[in-house]
Amino acid sequence: MKFFLDSADTNEIKGALSFGILDGVTTNPSLIKEAVERKKSKGERINLDSYIRQMLKLCKGKPVSLEVVSSDYKNMLSEAETIFKKYNKVAKNVYVKVPVNPCTDLKCTNQMDGIRVIRKLSEKNIPVNCTLIFTPEQALLAAKAGAKFVSPFVGRIDDYLRETAHIKFDKSDYFPREGWKKGKWVLNDNGIVSGVELIKEISVIFGKQKIKSKILAASIRNTRQVREVAEAGADIATIPFKVLGKIAEHVKTVEGMNKFTKDVVPEYVKLIGAKHR
Ligand code: E4P
């Protein structure tokens, strides 16, 4: 499974790149807002255009997703083309992020505009990351339209299941992959019992249908989900910096390091050229 960073913060991107395991970056309008506000709060001036270019250069050779913001076919298509034309020449690594369905209310009549945009962009060889996926059907549709990446939102489907059942929770709380039992029932959204199961179902369908689009598990909230989406068949997980930094953590690893460093004999220190004693 590939590891992407879910961030538009260049300091976080530099940090994650320094680990040597980063395969790409995803942004969204909220993450860009967060990064801009963080810079401004430190009294730094920000020119968003050069900031985005810097981000793309930092990630040369690794896909970076930049999202459209409108909710109709004409404007999403025009934004997608502008994003690609303006920024792909910087480091040839832009993926345009398009919502599977851009409607901002359930009565809207242009439910398929995201899919139409994806189809048009794929005809023009503009790579698309289809975002805001909450069902296997949406993933199937996005893949059919030509999306290179489909992004199911693992954490947000778990949020939704808890919200609809009026369960209090913290966003980083673990949600059981087999679902939340309530009496005889398991909470579910049209059969989907957790974000991880959503990934698993999409993975099974893509396998059976021989679909080439990559499954990008988004909205990851804790380290256990990283393990579970890998097992469920995600090709990529996009992970926030604070979660990425915790993956290597374990109390027994710390305990083990303390014991080993205490036990080192001086001869061994000399033999391997260790500097710390
Ligand atoms: C990335 O592609 C998504 O926009 C992001 O993972 C959403 O994460 P969130 O649900 O934690 O905001």
Side-chain angles (χ1 to χ4, degrees), residues 145-166:
K148 296 275 181 226
F149 298 157
V150 299
S151 289
F153 275 35
V154 174
R156 287 196 202 183
I157 196 84
D158 295 344
D159 294 349
Y160 179 62
L161 292 168
R162 286 179 283 209
E163 281 157 10
T164 47
H166 307 289

Side-chain angles (χ1 to χ4, degrees), residues 61-118:
K62 304 172 197 299
V64 177
S65 296
L66 295 170
E67 191 158 343
V68 298
V69 295
S70 284
S71 33
D72 65 279
Y73 176 77
K74 196 166 153 258
N75 285 307
M76 283 193 294
L77 184 61
S78 143
E79 290 159 17
E81 287 173 341
T82 304
I83 288 173
F84 197 72
K85 190 162 175 233
K86 206 175 201 174
Y87 294 118
N88 193 52
K89 57 186 173 223
V90 177
K92 303 249 178 296
N93 54 352
V94 170
Y95 275 58
V96 182
K97 222 168 156 189
V98 178
V100 65
N101 170 348
C103 285
T104 52
D105 75 77
L106 287 172
K107 287 192 196 114
C108 112
T109 52
N110 58 324
Q111 307 261 2
M112 294 298 275
D113 277 12
I115 296 302
R116 291 173 64 211
V117 170
I118 296 167

Side-chain angles (χ1 to χ4, degrees), residues 87-272:
Y87 294 118
N88 193 52
K89 57 186 173 223
V90 177
K92 303 249 178 296
N93 54 352
V94 170
Y95 275 58
V96 182
K97 222 168 156 189
V98 178
V100 65
N101 170 348
C103 285
T104 52
D105 75 77
L106 287 172
K107 287 192 196 114
C108 112
T109 52
N110 58 324
Q111 307 261 2
M112 294 298 275
D113 277 12
I115 296 302
R116 291 173 64 211
V117 170
I118 296 167
R119 166 59 84 208
K120 193 77 192 162
L121 295 175
S122 58
E123 278 165 17
K124 292 175 177 240
N125 285 323
I126 296 180
V128 172
N129 172 358
C130 178
T131 190
L132 285 169
I133 288 184
F134 290 91
T135 71
E137 304 87 285
Q138 289 177 324
L140 204 49
L141 208 53
K144 179 92 181 155
K148 296 275 181 226
F149 298 157
V150 299
S151 289
F153 275 35
V154 174
R156 287 196 202 183
I157 196 84
D158 295 344
D159 294 349
Y160 179 62
L161 292 168
R162 286 179 283 209
E163 281 157 10
T164 47
H166 307 289
I167 295 165
K168 282 200 178 135
F169 66 98
D170 193 81
K171 284 207 165 162
S172 60
D173 288 348
Y174 176 69
F175 186 88
R177 66 174 296 179
E178 68 279 8
W180 190 290
K181 294 202 177 64
K182 217 169 177 245
K184 285 195 277 180
W185 299 99
V186 178
L187 297 180
N188 72 87
D189 176 40
N190 200 18
I192 299 298
V193 298
S194 69
V196 173
E197 278 302 298
L198 173 61
I199 299 291
K200 166 116 176 278
E201 293 204 18
I202 296 172
S203 168
V204 169
I205 293 169
F206 279 19
K208 287 190 175 161
Q209 302 291 333
K210 302 193 180 11
I211 289 171
K212 299 242 160 37
S213 309
K214 301 290 177 210
I215 303 169
L216 192 164
S219 186
I220 297 287
R221 304 282 171 70
N222 53 60
T223 59
R224 187 161 166 181
Q225 275 176 336
V226 176
R227 174 212 317 171
E228 290 183 346
V229 297
E231 204 269 329
D235 299 291
I236 305 161
T238 189
I239 307 166
F241 190 70
K242 61 174 189 295
V243 177
L244 187 65
K246 277 186 182 286
I247 297 178
E249 198 178 280
H250 195 276
V251 63
K252 292 297 279 183
T253 308
V254 173
E255 186 192 287
M257 275 308 291
N258 279 312
K259 174 91 171 87
F260 292 155
T261 47
K262 264 190 212 129
D263 287 347
V264 180
V265 291
E267 290 89 332
Y268 190 66
V269 170
K270 253 197 208 157
L271 279 172
I272 65 166

